[in-house]
Structures are given as C-alpha cells and as structure tokens.
Amino acid sequence: MKITVDTKNLYRKWPHVERFQNTTLRYTPSPSFPKVMEKVIGRPSIIRLFITLDEVWDYRTDRYYWDYPIGVNRYEGDKNHYDYDWPLTVPSPVNAHIQEYLISHAECADEVLLNLRRYEREATDGVITYQKYEEVFEKVVEFYKNLCPNITYIECCNEVELVQFGNLSMKEYYKLYQCAYRAIQRLNQKHNYQMPLKIGGFGLSHGITHWHFWQEFLELLSRDEHRIIDFYSMHEYHTNPQRIMEFCMRHQEIINELNLPELPLLMTEYGLRVGIGDAGRPTNIQNAAGEIPGMILGSHYPKLKMFPWCTFHNPNQQLGRTMFILNEDNNYIPTPSGHVMTMFKMLGTHELMIKEYVENKAVATIDDERICVLISNPGQNEEDIEIVLNNLENRNYDIDKYLVNNHINNCLTDPTSHSLQTTENFNVVADNNALCIKDRMIGNSFCLWTLKYTK
C-alpha cells in the first residue's frame, strides 16, 4: 500500500469519530471505570447508557427499584415474563448499582443517550397495558433525567426484531414508539429542560441485511401525522465497511421519498462479525483492525455518528469487542480495540489529502503540533507499506511509531502491556521537501505514525 500525503492540502476538518461510545449492562464496571475510559480514549460527546425497565419496575407489584443492583434476575420461573437476553446477562462483577453506573458515566461525557428496553413483549401480548408501559416509560425517564441532567437522547428499545429483544413486528414496535414519544413530549413540556429530551429509534440490528424492517419503520413514521422523531438509530456488525455507505445512501433516498425529516443517523452499535454465535465473536485484534476502515468511511456521511461496541464487556462472552479488561490487579487496561480509539483521539484537527485510493484503510491529519498517519491492515495478508509525505519543510522531524498487532501493544497476549506505547522512534531530515517511510505490516494489525518538527 502506497500512501502519498500532501501536507499542505487540508482536505476537511477531521470529524473525531471516537467521540461516540457505548456501554453494556451485561457486565457493568465499577464507577471508577469512566474516568479511566475518559483519560485513555477521550471524553465522549455522547455516551450510550441503558435502563432495563423490568429491573427498575416490577409489573407484578407496581414497585419501582430506583437503585437496583444491575443484572439480578428476579423473574426466574415467571412464565408471564419474556426471557429477553437474561440468559446472557450476569450480575455486575463489582455489584454495581444503576445510579452509580449512570452518574459515573454521565460525568465523563458531554451528553447521554439513554436506551430503555424490556417489557416490549409484555405490552404487546397484553400482560401489561400500553397505557401502563407509557406511564412507566415516562416516570423512569423523568427520574433519571433529574439524576443526570445531560441525558438528552432517548432511544426507544433495542433490536426488537430479534428473539432475545422481543421478537416484534414493526407494527407492534411502532405502538411502543408512540407511547415513548408521547411520554417525552409531556416531559419536555412539563419541565422545560435546559437540555431538552430527544426521542428516536429503533436500534435496528443487522444493518442493510434487515433493510425491510427499516423501510417498514420509516413508512409507519411517514403515515403518522403526530409523529415525533429527533434521530434514527441502527446497528451494523460486518467485515464489509461498504455496507455502511450503502445503508446511508438508501436511508437518504427513502427519507426523501417519504418526505421524512433529515435527522442524525446514529449507528448506536458498530463492530465486526466474522462467524456465528453471539454477534459473530471476532478476536479483539480482528475487531480493532477492521473497525478502522469502517469508521473512516462512515465519517464521510455528515449525519452519521458511529458508536463502536463497546467500552467494557464480559470477557467470557465478548472479549473480541471490549475496549478494556479488568486485570488481576483490578486495573482497567486498554485492549487493541481501546488502542484504536486512543489513536483516533491522537489525530489532528484537519485531514490531509492522500493521493491514492487506499480503501479507507488510512487517514492522515495535521494540527499545530504534528502530522499523523493512521494505517490499518485488516485480514490475514501481510502488506508492504510506503508512506510519502510531500510539501514538508526541509528540517528535522521526530517520528514515533505506535504498532498494534497480535503480539505488540496487546494486553490479551502480553499481560505486561498496560497502555499504548511507542514501538519505534527516530529522527529524519526531509529532503527536497519530502520524506519516505517504508514498513511491512502483518495481517490484522494497525499503526499510527506521528511526525513533529524538532527544534
């Protein structure tokens, strides 16, 4: 791969794609974690948090548990309660409670996207009424918005077309969405929040593969004269990043056709899928290297915000997608997927033009301090790399290399690796206003090169 960078051609302001992040309730970390996350991968502009309605409210007793211990199932043996994803949920390894989870994460982000899910099936099947669902939805949002005022985005449900999240048709889901948007409208009118609530959905799974669900959802929206929607949300797990742009193009076409509003499109989950099982189970280095071209490609659709999955997850279930692990010393350590976000954070303010078409596997940026070139080599093949930087001043440059692969800067294969470290440092002099760096990358690896003037 040859990468020829024009250091004087600022192509666009670089949209820092790492500023949208995810959490999970399936394996909730301690309240000390978000500050570690913020320090290592940067402060999110939006972080996605969750409330599971069946944990905060018990439909059998009409009792609210406003600070419930996360992941404790009190419905075992209850035949009227749908299973959802309870079989994959374990109690928090540190006995985290919902309020400390919400508060600690909200403090380390500009805004919160709060997803509310469960009780979809009970409402649809008549175990609880839609009126009760709407009442509970409103009370829950009101309580936690008061607790965390920067809760802004409310995502109604998650992947409802899948069995483990309700197995709903779009018509069934839309009734719930109407309950949700009415509840949010009343709350905004009642409280006149400084940061008003925004409502959207529906957390579509499988991206373009489930397009028929997406089209039906948008058609239902278009026929609803009273609709309220502030953002659209969907998910994508795949090794082919072109699916991202295809979805964005189709989405743009259909909202134009249906005369729906142009709003932010939030990909509230993004990662790789390389096999079968719980979301495909990639290795962590596969996921890390593969995310880079997808996120670079997605950055070109201005309304798209991508939330990679996810900051911290159960290593027994989704080690391949977690950005941090809790080591034997009870320290949160970044994995290769965490290093990807650190490298994106390290990129500069403006993107530089690259002469060649590099399939979104590389990006170059500049700011007042340095030039950065981030390169990914997903897949199994080794790749020769040649970086040429043109239009430089003829002076000395300090070059730092940060390489991540299955053996280097990888806490999962080297327990002594606790943070992203430089793997090479040297000084070169630009000649004829240019310099060249040659390298070779093994498969499933990625590398950040930084160049600074030396005084």
Side-chain angles (χ1 to χ4, degrees):
M1 182 192 306
K2 186 173 183 179
I3 302 162
T4 307
V5 180
D6 184 345
T7 63
K8 298 298 183 186
N9 190 341
L10 278 63
Y11 163 60
R12 61 171 176 163
K13 187 175 180 180
W14 171 248
H16 272 274
V17 295
E18 78 285 356
R19 297 194 67 216
F20 310 98
Q21 293 295 338
N22 246 312
T23 67
T24 182
L25 290 183
R26 286 189 187 173
Y27 202 73
T28 313
S30 71
S32 65
F33 170 73
K35 290 189 182 299
V36 177
M37 173 203 71
E38 183 181 9
K39 181 179 179 181
V40 174
I41 70 174
R43 182 180 180 85
S45 56
I46 306 174
I47 194 160
R48 185 175 182 236
L49 306 179
F50 291 85
I51 289 287
T52 39
L53 293 177
D54 60 348
E55 290 185 82
V56 72
W57 176 72
D58 192 327
Y59 77 106
R60 300 164 300 187
T61 61
D62 198 23
R63 178 181 173 185
Y64 288 85
Y65 297 83
W66 295 116
D67 196 23
Y68 59 85
I70 297 170
V72 178
N73 186 0
R74 53 178 179 268
Y75 300 96
E76 290 184 11
D78 184 343
K79 295 181 180 179
N80 291 320
H81 187 66
Y82 193 76
D83 276 347
Y84 299 105
D85 57 337
W86 274 112
L88 292 173
T89 301
V90 298
S92 164
V94 292
N95 191 34
H97 284 54
I98 192 63
Q99 292 192 26
E100 61 185 359
Y101 155 76
L102 292 173
I103 292 170
S104 62
H105 281 88
E107 288 177 344
C108 294
D110 296 339
E111 294 182 281
V112 171
L113 183 153
L114 186 64
N115 177 284
L116 285 84
R117 62 186 184 88
R118 299 206 184 128
Y119 282 136
E120 294 91 347
R121 196 71 255 170
E122 287 78 6
T124 300
D125 291 346
V127 176
I128 63 174
T129 65
Y130 286 106
Q131 182 180 3
K132 191 65 179 179
Y133 178 88
E134 186 170 330
E135 174 192 320
V136 171
F137 197 99
E138 182 173 347
K139 283 186 177 180
V140 169
V141 172
E142 183 176 39
F143 181 90
Y144 292 113
K145 171 72 169 174
N146 184 58
L147 188 72
C148 302
N150 62 338
I151 291 175
T152 305
Y153 298 85
I154 301 297
E155 187 178 31
C156 176
C157 306
N158 176 75
E159 298 185 346
V160 294
E161 75 275 30
L162 299 185
V163 170
Q164 65 267 37
F165 297 111
N167 197 27
L168 270 61
S169 70
M170 285 300 95
K171 289 181 180 179
E172 290 171 333
Y173 168 73
Y174 200 76
K175 291 182 180 179
L176 298 177
Y177 181 73
Q178 289 175 309
C179 292
Y181 78 57
R182 287 191 296 263
I184 297 308
Q185 182 181 44
R186 284 193 297 272
L187 288 174
N188 280 330
Q189 291 172 346
K190 177 181 178 182
H191 294 286
N192 192 26
Y193 295 117
Q194 185 176 356
M195 299 176 71
L197 294 166
K198 302 175 183 179
I199 183 69
F202 69 97
L204 168 82
S205 74
H206 288 78
I208 200 76
T209 303
H210 277 189
W211 180 259
H212 57 291
F213 290 112
W214 190 251
Q215 180 167 335
E216 187 175 356
F217 171 63
L218 296 182
E219 288 172 349
L220 288 165
L221 271 173
S222 71
R223 295 195 292 268
D224 182 355
E225 295 180 358
H226 305 289
R227 69 173 179 267
I228 302 172
I229 188 162
D230 300 298
F231 65 91
Y232 309 99
S233 70
M234 46 76 68
H235 302 163
E236 178 63 275
Y237 290 98
H238 206 276
T239 56
N240 178 9
Q242 305 303 323
R243 289 165 58 104
I244 297 168
M245 194 53 66
E246 182 176 352
F247 191 98
C248 291
M249 292 169 62
R250 286 199 197 182
H251 174 74
Q252 189 65 49
E253 289 170 351
I254 195 167
I255 63 172
N256 290 344
E257 178 184 334
L258 297 174
N259 198 30
L260 286 169
E262 291 200 20
L263 300 167
L265 176 61
L266 307 187
M267 186 182 289
T268 50
E269 292 181 25
Y270 174 60
L272 260 63
R273 176 186 294 277
V274 298
I276 59 174
D278 184 23
R281 293 193 179 96
T283 66
N284 199 279
I285 191 67
Q286 280 178 320
N287 192 69
E291 276 184 336
I292 292 173
M295 294 183 75
I296 293 172
L297 179 61
S299 74
H300 290 280
Y301 186 66
K303 293 190 179 299
L304 180 66
K305 295 174 172 58
M306 299 175 68
F307 294 68
W309 185 261
C310 85
T311 52
F312 185 74
H313 210 297
N314 189 339
N316 297 315
Q317 291 180 6
Q318 294 201 20
L319 182 61
R321 297 231 184 80
T322 187
M323 296 178 194
F324 291 84
I325 59 168
L326 189 63
N327 72 1
E328 293 179 354
D329 297 324
N330 285 321
N331 294 318
Y332 292 101
I333 306 299
T335 66
S337 286
H339 294 331
V340 166
M341 300 304 136
T342 299
M343 289 183 180
F344 275 132
K345 180 187 72 169
M346 292 170 69
L347 293 180
T349 56
H350 287 81
E351 184 176 353
L352 294 169
M353 183 66 73
I354 294 176
K355 178 180 178 180
E356 296 82 10
Y357 177 59
V358 291
E359 298 179 320
N360 302 292
K361 295 176 184 177
V363 63
T365 66
I366 191 169
D367 55 27
D368 294 336
E369 296 185 349
R370 62 188 174 184
I371 296 168
C372 298
V373 182
L374 174 59
I375 306 168
S376 181
N377 185 32
Q380 300 299 319
N381 297 328
E382 292 191 14
E383 183 85 26
D384 288 319
I385 305 295
E386 181 180 2
I387 305 170
V388 179
L389 295 117
N390 290 326
N391 285 324
L392 292 170
E393 295 183 31
N394 288 329
R395 58 191 300 179
N396 291 330
Y397 291 85
D398 263 335
I399 299 181
D400 286 319
K401 175 184 178 182
Y402 301 83
L403 174 66
V404 181
N405 60 31
N406 201 43
H407 315 290
I408 299 170
N409 272 321
N410 190 337
C411 66
L412 302 178
T413 57
D414 177 8
T416 66
S417 176
H418 289 176
S419 62
L420 180 64
Q421 299 292 318
T422 55
T423 52
E424 195 174 345
N425 172 266
F426 53 94
N427 184 273
V428 296
V429 179
D431 183 36
N432 292 323
N433 304 109
L435 62 81
C436 179
I437 302 169
K438 292 187 178 181
D439 197 15
R440 185 167 181 81
M441 296 175 66
I442 65 172
N444 289 315
S445 63
F446 53 98
C447 186
L448 177 69
W449 297 85
T450 67
L451 294 84
K452 289 184 179 180
Y453 294 129
T454 58
K455 297 181 180 179

